[in-house]
Amino acid sequence: MDRLLKIREKLSQKGLDGVLITDEKNQRYATGFAFTDGAVLITRSRAFLFTDSRYIEAAEKTVSPDIELRMFGAGKPLPALIKAELAACCIEKLGAEEMSLPHGRYLDLERRLGLGLVPCQSIFYELRAAKDEDELRSMRAAQAIAERALDDVLRIIRPGVTERDIAAEITYRLLKHGGEGNSFDPIAVSGANSSMPHGVPSDKRVEAGDFVTMDFGCIKDGYCSDMTRTVVVGGATDEMKNVYDVVLRAQAAGIDIARAGVTGAEIDGAARKVIADAGYGEYFGHAFGHSLGLDIHESPAAAPSAKTPMPDGAVISAEPGIYLPGKFGVRIEDVLILRSGGCENITRADKKLIIL
């Protein structure tokens, strides 16, 4: 497997004999298999997946022959099985995910395995920052599902519908069209509530003249989609139209320079300048975007503090916004794949201001 080779290259670079993977998303990245509990051990020459009776049959059907399966359970505790393979492979320097493991479990594993663990979560931050073609295929599929759901949901938005109604319809339509679940709890906020970037859907009913902001995504083959559209019910004031136009122009400015080799701060800055020049700088408080993949928020980000060049194959959101407290907010979000010569926008949904 190509990913095993990439992980082994990282082990060599960091002077490690192996890495113990307990984070479920990193396990899926390494093996292609999704399950709860268990662990994955990758050494310079061998790879093991430790699971229990609930998942062993599925693992046998799914996992590459390059990965050896070990089943733990009654009389075969997981740490003991891992320790046996560490001894067989002569592992002395073992990496572990210091950011994912609770501190107590980290210490307990060191005690049970009989050796100190070396923090190396950065291996997976670095590798997962650039998506391969299999990952991109899943992300395109997840995005297509989200856009089909949006088309359906737009048909139910009218005065009298509650924000909860809209959020529930989003979830139903994502599942209906093939999603495995939500990437995150959908955001559906209207009127003055739309000024809260991460507002929680409430029993507020949509009124004529309201902006409705919907931020949502689904999971397909373990990978996330993410999109935001802001629509208006009945009609928009000149101020609403102007703010929407500024956000759309800001997003276009960020997309125009988004490519591998450019820093996240530069991408964010291009969009932020448009909003600041229009007089709304203080009302854009979050970053232009974030990476996504197996998790809805991954590294690297398109943010003012992101000074590292984006890698080829990075997938980031493009989601500037303006939020006027007590009045309304606007956010427009697409998803981009970054390449050395530019970016591919995998979001096809229309971005003109939709009046329902």
Side-chain angles (χ1 to χ4, degrees), residues 101-119:
L101 274 169
H103 182 62
R105 190 178 177 202
Y106 195 97
L107 296 177
D108 184 62
L109 277 172
E110 287 187 320
R111 178 180 63 82
R112 288 172 177 261
L113 300 180
L115 76 167
L117 299 175
V118 181

Side-chain angles (χ1 to χ4, degrees), residues 256-324:
D256 282 346
I257 73 160
R259 59 179 53 82
V262 172
T263 68
E266 290 173 304
I267 298 170
D268 178 276
R272 198 168 296 278
K273 183 177 187 303
V274 173
I275 292 175
D277 288 349
Y280 292 105
E282 67 181 295
Y283 302 109
F284 175 30
H286 58 75
F288 177 81
H290 56 86
S291 288
L292 61 153
L294 288 166
D295 285 305
I296 191 59
H297 288 98
E298 296 190 354
S299 180
S305 60
K307 308 299 185 182
T308 302
M310 291 284 184
D312 192 284
V315 177
I316 65 168
S317 65
E319 52 177 309
I322 293 173
Y323 311 93
L324 305 179

Side-chain angles (χ1 to χ4, degrees), residues 28 137-150 152 169-183 217-225:
R28 181 160 193 160
R137 190 176 303 110
S138 296
M139 296 189 74
R140 288 189 180 97
Q143 186 60 39
I145 290 169
E147 294 183 40
R148 289 184 67 188
L150 174 66
D152 292 344
E169 189 73 14
I170 288 170
T171 294
Y172 168 67
R173 293 296 174 176
L174 290 173
L175 293 172
K176 181 78 171 177
H177 292 306
E180 297 162 3
N182 293 328
S183 300
C218 72
I219 298 170
K220 182 66 174 176
D221 302 326
Y223 285 83
C224 298
S225 59

Side-chain angles (χ1 to χ4, degrees), residues 53-115:
S53 60
R54 295 172 296 172
Y55 306 105
I56 189 66
E57 184 177 0
E60 290 170 344
K61 294 177 180 178
T62 305
V63 174
S64 163
D66 296 334
I67 300 171
E68 303 174 49
L69 299 180
R70 299 288 186 268
M71 187 171 74
F72 63 90
K76 295 182 179 179
L78 175 60
L81 293 184
I82 297 172
K83 185 174 183 179
E85 300 301 348
L86 292 175
C89 296
C90 301
I91 302 300
E92 295 181 357
K93 294 190 67 177
L94 179 65
E97 302 145 308
E98 75 281 6
M99 301 301 290
S100 299
L101 274 169
H103 182 62
R105 190 178 177 202
Y106 195 97
L107 296 177
D108 184 62
L109 277 172
E110 287 187 320
R111 178 180 63 82
R112 288 172 177 261
L113 300 180
L115 76 167

Side-chain angles (χ1 to χ4, degrees), residues 157-350:
I157 298 176
R158 63 181 66 89
V161 171
T162 70
E163 294 171 349
R164 291 185 197 275
D165 291 335
I166 297 170
E169 189 73 14
I170 288 170
T171 294
Y172 168 67
R173 293 296 174 176
L174 290 173
L175 293 172
K176 181 78 171 177
H177 292 306
E180 297 162 3
N182 293 328
S183 300
F184 53 93
D185 291 338
I187 296 169
V189 285
S190 63
N193 288 348
S194 64
S195 70
M196 296 180 283
H198 276 194
V200 177
S202 71
D203 291 323
K204 178 193 174 301
R205 296 186 182 276
V206 172
E207 300 175 34
D210 277 356
F211 267 138
V212 178
T213 296
M214 295 165 286
D215 187 346
F216 60 94
C218 72
I219 298 170
K220 182 66 174 176
D221 302 326
Y223 285 83
C224 298
S225 59
D226 192 3
M227 66 180 298
T228 305
R229 287 295 183 267
T230 300
V231 301
V232 66
V233 176
T237 65
D238 288 343
E239 181 184 29
M240 293 167 73
K241 292 176 182 177
N242 179 60
V243 169
Y244 191 94
D245 180 67
V246 172
V247 173
L248 189 58
R249 288 191 290 110
Q251 191 203 44
I255 291 173
D256 282 346
I257 73 160
R259 59 179 53 82
V262 172
T263 68
E266 290 173 304
I267 298 170
D268 178 276
R272 198 168 296 278
K273 183 177 187 303
V274 173
I275 292 175
D277 288 349
Y280 292 105
E282 67 181 295
Y283 302 109
F284 175 30
H286 58 75
F288 177 81
H290 56 86
S291 288
L292 61 153
L294 288 166
D295 285 305
I296 191 59
H297 288 98
E298 296 190 354
S299 180
S305 60
K307 308 299 185 182
T308 302
M310 291 284 184
D312 192 284
V315 177
I316 65 168
S317 65
E319 52 177 309
I322 293 173
Y323 311 93
L324 305 179
K327 296 181 70 175
F328 60 79
V330 173
R331 181 166 65 258
I332 306 168
E333 178 183 18
D334 294 348
V335 171
L336 316 175
I337 301 171
L338 307 189
R339 301 298 190 188
S340 59
C343 69
E344 174 192 350
N345 189 336
I346 65 172
T347 309
R348 307 301 183 197
D350 201 340

